[in-house]
Amino acid sequence: MKTSFKMVAMLLGMGIFPLCANAQKKVIIEDEEPNSIMFISRDKAGDEIIRIMNDRSQLRFHDPNAPRFLLTDQKGKFALGIGGYVRATAEYDFGGIVDDVDFYPALIPQRGSGNFAKNQFQMDITTSTLFLKLVGRTKHLGDFVVYTAGNFRGDGKTFELQNAYAQFLGFTIGYSYGSFMDLAALPPTIDFAGPNGSAFYRTTQLSYMYDKLKNWKFGVAMEMPSVDGTTNSDVSINTQRMPDFATSAQYNWNSSSHIKLSAIIRSMTYSSNVYDKAYSKAGFGLQASTTFNVTKKLQAYGQFNYGKGIGSYLNDLSNLNVDIVPDPDNEGKMQVLPMLGWYAGLQYNFCPSFFVSGTYSLSRLYSENGYPSGNPESYRKGQYLVANAFWNVSNNMQVGVEYLRGWRTDFSSSTRHANRLNMLVQYSF
């Protein structure tokens, strides 16, 4: 009898607890220990914690927003957010296909060789993301952030690390977006890759950003080198001897308008089997990017990239292994080719929950010293056109629809194209 009474009392207590939890603004676990923690909703955290947690200056459109719930200490100086989103897309290609779940004009295949299809249907959920974000403010380190995130784009749809870094006193140490990028100037797309002429890459780095001057930011970085080149029996790419060095300057005239200038220098090492010796070729990149308010509801985006040996950093060219290529005029030697990429776009916000955007982008690889003498079907130019609409159904759910068109032109002047319709449903937590 006593046992039955205890069970009834326990069940009643469990039933009453949710009602009590809903009746008060937040549940605080009283504890005299200074290191105890509280589980609270985001809007109940301190102003400083919310400011640091909501900062998206080093995140792009596809990165998740601040989590709904936080673990925080009693004084509200430290908080751990656990969040992410489930992201499902449906894709239909017509009038030509792109041989990838992302839309790269460089991957529009030639018809034939066993594949004559002009249409293609795909679905993807691998960009669904999970993250941990620890933020706080201390006397000696100021604002600090420790952030890790990943999605399911590893081999066999396994979990793959996308970001893992720590930030404090202006320093960033770890694996994150490269410094030769402008995340805030990237346009919104359902396509996870984005404009083919944009700079996009991740790398291990040590970088520093100085933002103590009004309206100005200055950055420098040392980054892990990654050389994607084309080789043959005479040359090979193995060990790298120098890091990449990047620098930037940015001027902001309001919270959503800026212009940024960036540069990167790299030294790419290769081995010559003809001369039994290692050589290095220098590469460089220059970038100008901006985003600004045209009117209260209209936002503009733009970016221009030019350099030699920066194929790894540009969306379309990163699929082609053209950082460094064999020199047809010099047996056993390699060369770097000139290349550029750019885009321009507009976004119109009808209301806070609904907006549309459109962007045109181009990527171009130039010939030098007879390249590509042996393969006139090599990529010369790619074009990318996107138009989309997004609706934030609620604070946590977003849906979208998108049209994409791409063109690939080879050095032989032959051109092929593809079209894609994208649909998106995304739920954040």
Side-chain angles (χ1 to χ4, degrees), residues 172-227:
T172 298
I173 303 173
Y175 182 73
S176 186
Y177 299 111
S179 297
F180 188 64
M181 288 183 62
D182 189 349
L183 296 169
L186 291 173
T189 60
I190 295 175
D191 174 40
F192 201 69
N196 71 323
S198 65
F200 182 83
Y201 67 106
R202 295 182 178 90
T203 186
T204 303
Q205 64 186 272
L206 170 60
S207 61
Y208 177 74
M209 180 67 71
Y210 181 80
D211 59 359
K212 303 304 180 183
L213 297 177
K214 183 179 180 180
N215 299 333
W216 285 96
K217 294 181 180 180
F218 299 93
V220 293
M222 180 175 66
E223 300 179 349
M224 178 74 177
S226 177
V227 179

Side-chain angles (χ1 to χ4, degrees), residues 121-374:
F121 177 75
Q122 300 180 98
M123 298 184 74
D124 182 45
I125 202 168
T126 60
T127 56
S128 298
T129 298
L130 295 171
F131 75 88
L132 295 173
K133 188 173 185 179
L134 175 67
V135 304
R137 182 171 178 82
T138 66
K139 179 179 179 181
H140 299 292
L141 294 180
D143 296 350
F144 74 90
V145 176
V146 179
Y147 184 79
T148 61
N151 59 27
F152 297 89
R153 288 215 152 174
D155 294 338
K157 296 182 175 58
T158 56
F159 189 75
E160 182 178 64
L161 185 69
Q162 299 294 315
N163 301 87
Y165 61 83
Q167 291 179 330
F168 55 90
L169 297 178
F171 289 95
T172 298
I173 303 173
Y175 182 73
S176 186
Y177 299 111
S179 297
F180 188 64
M181 288 183 62
D182 189 349
L183 296 169
L186 291 173
T189 60
I190 295 175
D191 174 40
F192 201 69
N196 71 323
S198 65
F200 182 83
Y201 67 106
R202 295 182 178 90
T203 186
T204 303
Q205 64 186 272
L206 170 60
S207 61
Y208 177 74
M209 180 67 71
Y210 181 80
D211 59 359
K212 303 304 180 183
L213 297 177
K214 183 179 180 180
N215 299 333
W216 285 96
K217 294 181 180 180
F218 299 93
V220 293
M222 180 175 66
E223 300 179 349
M224 178 74 177
S226 177
V227 179
D228 295 326
T230 301
T231 60
N232 55 32
S233 59
D234 294 332
V235 291
S236 60
I237 301 171
N238 298 302
T239 303
Q240 296 303 308
R241 299 183 287 197
M242 290 287 292
D244 295 345
F245 295 98
T247 184
S248 65
Q250 178 174 315
Y251 177 76
N252 302 269
W253 59 92
N254 60 47
S255 60
S256 57
S257 301
H258 75 263
I259 185 169
K260 182 177 181 179
L261 301 176
S262 303
I264 192 165
I265 299 175
R266 56 194 324 221
S267 176
M268 294 169 284
T269 300
Y270 70 93
S271 295
S272 172
N273 299 322
V274 174
Y275 297 97
D276 295 329
K277 186 178 179 181
Y279 296 93
S280 293
K281 296 294 292 185
F284 72 92
L286 301 173
Q287 180 186 112
S289 56
T290 186
T291 180
F292 56 90
N293 299 112
V294 180
T295 67
K296 186 177 181 180
K297 293 187 175 184
L298 184 64
Q299 187 81 11
Y301 304 88
Q303 184 177 108
F304 180 85
N305 304 283
Y306 177 81
K308 286 189 173 184
I310 57 170
S312 298
Y313 305 138
L314 302 181
N315 251 347
D316 225 15
L317 298 180
S318 63
N319 295 285
L320 304 174
N321 299 324
V322 290
D323 282 347
I324 186 170
V325 299
D327 186 343
D329 296 338
N330 292 282
E331 184 181 11
K333 293 293 185 70
M334 302 191 78
Q335 64 173 336
V336 291
L337 300 173
M339 54 192 68
L340 68 82
W342 66 269
Y343 67 81
L346 294 170
Q347 175 181 321
Y348 188 81
N349 305 294
F350 286 93
C351 62
S353 62
F354 181 75
F355 66 89
V356 298
S357 78
T359 302
Y360 173 81
S361 182
L362 181 141
S363 180
R364 174 74 185 268
L365 180 66
Y366 292 90
S367 177
E368 201 166 82
N369 296 332
Y371 177 89
S373 59

Side-chain angles (χ1 to χ4, degrees), residues 356-422:
V356 298
S357 78
T359 302
Y360 173 81
S361 182
L362 181 141
S363 180
R364 174 74 185 268
L365 180 66
Y366 292 90
S367 177
E368 201 166 82
N369 296 332
Y371 177 89
S373 59
N375 185 13
E377 300 303 316
S378 295
Y379 174 103
R380 179 170 64 92
K381 180 175 68 174
Q383 300 174 76
Y384 176 105
L385 178 65
V386 58
N388 50 41
F390 292 89
W391 176 32
N392 296 318
V393 182
S394 67
N395 290 335
N396 301 100
M397 178 173 283
Q398 183 180 73
V399 297
V401 62
E402 179 172 88
Y403 168 71
L404 293 149
R405 181 172 174 86
W407 299 262
R408 170 180 166 146
T409 302
D410 297 332
F411 278 99
S412 65
S413 296
S414 66
T415 299
R416 47 194 186 268
H417 54 79
N419 301 272
R420 176 172 291 182
L421 289 176
N422 280 338

Side-chain angles (χ1 to χ4, degrees), residues 40-43 45-59 63-72 76-84 131-137 143-148 165 167 429:
I40 63 173
S41 61
R42 185 178 64 200
D43 59 349
D47 292 340
E48 286 297 303
I49 291 295
I50 290 298
R51 178 183 61 80
I52 303 171
M53 187 68 73
N54 287 345
D55 180 24
R56 291 188 58 86
S57 60
Q58 297 193 44
L59 298 175
D63 289 324
N65 292 318
R68 186 186 302 182
F69 298 105
L70 305 174
L71 289 170
T72 181
K77 292 185 177 181
F78 302 90
L80 175 66
I82 305 171
F131 75 88
L132 295 173
K133 188 173 185 179
L134 175 67
V135 304
R137 182 171 178 82
D143 296 350
F144 74 90
V145 176
V146 179
Y147 184 79
T148 61
Y165 61 83
Q167 291 179 330
F429 54 89

